[in-house]
Amino acid sequence: MGMRIELNVWESDFFGWMIGTVHGITPEALLSLDDYRLLQARVSAQDISLQQNLQQLGFRLVEGEITFLLDLAKKTPYQTACQPATTQDLSELKALFGSAFPQSRFRAPWFSAEENQRFYQTWIENAVKGSFDDLCLIKRQNHQLQGGVSLRLLAENVAQIGLLAVAPEFRRTGVGQQLLKAAVDWALSQQAGHLKIVTQLHNLAAIQLYQQAGAKVHAIHYWFYR
């Protein structure tokens, strides 16, 4: 398999150092391995050969991720109380999402806690403003933010959840289910046939939530860093 190393422009600009994405392996590309402060490779769980080759080059397994697809063909709207977030919600949303994913692949020793926080704060701010993700839906109770979910419409009538987070004091109270139902409502309003959801393999609570809703495993990948 041939290897290409592509500069991840967005992440490099955001973090302020060179981040490359690896696709396969060739001798020519090996010459540029040391040009990047961080190299990352997303590899199918079934591609054992590539995983072994990457490890021989000094790559380390960082995180596993699982992709679910939820078939919307037989879904009807739930009509939840969730509403689109506005810029007035940003301070609360940035506080929530900035602390929601400390164990994601954007963690130490590859990224600092401050970089992790800033990454997800920027992501959710862009979602509220309709950049990258299309919108963020939020749930409140007595004016208190309980959680939020960002969404975007992909090609071929597939909607995707970007980020989903529940405030710590409202976890295990059904808020996650309400946010997922709101995501389904929005996807149906966009005439999407499927809802795509990606989460980390260690996030058992999220995996349980999506499977209870009827989502099926579509793919499993591993992230390797060097």
Side-chain angles (χ1 to χ4, degrees):
M1 179 184 292
M3 179 172 101
R4 303 188 326 276
I5 299 178
E6 297 178 348
L7 177 67
N8 188 318
V9 177
W10 192 91
E11 289 184 12
S12 296
D13 288 345
F14 183 83
F15 292 109
W17 31 276
M18 294 277 283
I19 299 176
T21 301
V22 175
H23 306 277
I25 296 175
T26 62
E28 295 80 6
L30 295 179
L31 298 176
S32 61
L33 286 177
D34 294 329
D35 292 342
Y36 297 85
R37 175 171 163 180
L38 177 68
L39 285 168
Q40 54 189 15
R42 180 176 180 267
V43 185
S44 169
Q46 298 177 329
D47 196 342
I48 303 299
S49 176
L50 180 54
Q51 294 173 41
Q52 292 174 338
N53 289 336
L54 288 169
Q55 290 175 86
Q56 290 175 356
L57 293 170
F59 283 77
R60 294 172 55 189
L61 175 63
V62 174
E63 184 61 83
E65 69 175 31
I66 182 168
T67 301
F68 288 99
L69 280 182
L70 179 60
D71 189 349
L72 302 177
K74 297 181 180 180
K75 295 288 186 182
T76 56
Y78 294 100
Q79 298 180 339
T80 70
C82 299
Q83 298 292 329
T86 70
T87 54
Q88 294 181 340
D89 302 303
L90 272 178
S91 61
E92 291 175 281
L93 284 169
K94 291 172 75 171
L96 170 59
F97 282 85
S99 60
F101 310 104
Q103 296 303 314
S104 77
R105 66 184 184 88
F106 296 98
R107 68 175 188 272
W110 301 279
F111 300 88
S112 69
E114 185 277 332
E115 286 172 327
N116 173 285
Q117 182 180 60
R118 186 165 56 89
F119 179 82
Y120 290 107
Q121 287 176 335
T122 301
W123 186 334
I124 203 63
E125 180 175 3
N126 287 344
V128 172
K129 295 179 178 179
S131 173
F132 187 60
D133 285 344
D134 295 327
L135 83 166
C136 173
L137 299 173
I138 59 173
K139 187 176 187 302
R140 289 187 178 275
Q141 184 180 65
N142 299 325
H143 305 292
Q144 186 175 4
L145 180 68
Q146 295 181 304
V149 57
S150 69
L151 292 146
R152 63 181 175 272
L153 188 64
L154 306 176
E156 300 178 353
N157 295 322
V158 175
Q160 178 169 346
I161 288 178
L163 299 175
L164 188 154
V166 177
E169 61 270 34
F170 292 106
R171 290 171 187 167
R172 298 182 179 86
T173 64
V175 173
Q177 293 176 337
Q178 290 297 308
L179 292 170
L180 181 56
K181 288 177 179 179
V184 169
D185 284 354
W186 182 81
L188 289 171
S189 75
Q190 304 301 306
Q191 288 77 53
H194 290 86
L195 180 62
K196 180 179 179 181
I197 314 158
V198 181
T199 193
Q200 296 150 353
L201 281 173
H202 73 261
N203 194 342
L204 300 182
I207 290 172
Q208 182 179 24
L209 171 66
Y210 302 138
Q211 289 189 130
Q212 286 178 341
K216 305 300 182 185
V217 176
H218 179 68
I220 297 176
H221 290 83
Y222 298 127
W223 282 95
F224 285 83
Y225 284 176
R226 181 184 189 272

